[in-house]
Amino acid sequence: MRVKIHHEGNEILLVMLGIMAAVCVPMWLWVTPVSWPIAVSVVLGIIFLLTLNFFRSPRRKFEGDINNVVVASADGKVVALEEVFEDEFLHCRCIQLSVFMSIFNVHANWFPVNGVVEAVAHNKGRYQAAYLPKSSTENERSAVVIRTPDGNRVLVRQIAGAVARRIVTYAEKGTEANIEDHLGFIKFGSRVDLYLPINTDINVKIGDCTVGGITPVGRLNPPT
C-alpha cells in the first residue's frame, strides 16, 4: 500500500514549516538556556508530524469480488446503521451507514461503488459534532449521487464536524465513479454517510472500524 501526502495539505504544511523556522532559528541563535529552544522545537515538531499524518493519502486497491460491492468511503468507525427515508435526492427508504473519522484517521474519501456520478450538491450548515445523528441534515455537507451499472442509486454525503471547516468534493456530474479513486477530502474530524438501497446486504455493524476503499461494507442486489 503506497502512502503519499495529499495535495490538500501542501499549503498548510508549508506555512507550518515557515512558522517553525521563524520561531526556532532565532531561539537557537539567541535564547539560553538551550533547554528552551529544545522544548519549543520538540513541541512544534510533534504538531507538524501530527498534521503530516493527518494529510497522508494512501493509494489503495480493492482485492475482493468487485461485482456489486459497496466499499467504505472513509477510514473510521461505524456510528449509525439504520433504515431511513432519504427525501433530498433518493426520495425512498434506504439503509443509512455512517462512518465517523477522528483526527487520526485518513481523511481522503473514496467512491463507494462503481458507476456514473448523477448529481453533486453542497449545502451550508452548522458545525456540530459529526457523530451526532442530526449532523447528517444540519451540518455543512456535500452530497454525491452515483448510479451503478445495474441501475442502483447510491448517495454519499460528506459532513463537516465540530473541527472540520472545509469539505472538498472532486466528483463531477456525468463523470465515472471508481472505488479506487478519491471522491473528496474533509479537513479535520468529520463523517461520511452512505445511503444504500433497502435490499443491500450489509457486512458491518455499529462499532466496526472501516478502511476507505478497502472494507466491503455491503453488496448491492438488483433494483426492485
Side-chain angles (χ1 to χ4, degrees), residues 4-16 51-58 106-109 158 165-171 182-188:
K4 63 178 182 178
I5 301 303
H6 201 284
H7 67 268
E8 295 292 344
N10 291 345
E11 183 178 345
I12 292 175
L13 292 170
L14 287 174
V15 170
M16 291 183 69
T51 306
L52 190 70
N53 180 69
F54 175 86
F55 284 108
R56 66 195 187 279
S57 179
V106 169
H107 270 58
N109 304 143
Q158 298 171 281
R165 288 292 187 252
R166 188 181 177 205
I167 298 174
V168 183
T169 304
Y170 307 133
H182 287 169
L183 172 146
F185 195 95
I186 312 179
K187 293 186 178 182
F188 305 107

Side-chain angles (χ1 to χ4, degrees), residues 14 39 44 47 85 92 145 164 180 189-190 207 216 220-221 223:
L14 287 174
L44 292 179
I47 293 173
F85 189 87
C92 65
V145 180
E180 293 184 8
S190 41
L220 300 173
N221 289 300

Side-chain angles (χ1 to χ4, degrees), residues 89-106:
F89 294 95
L90 304 180
H91 308 293
C92 65
R93 292 199 63 79
C94 308
I95 298 175
Q96 178 185 335
L97 194 162
S98 303
V99 172
F100 174 74
M101 297 175 283
S102 76
I103 60 172
F104 300 107
N105 291 125
V106 169

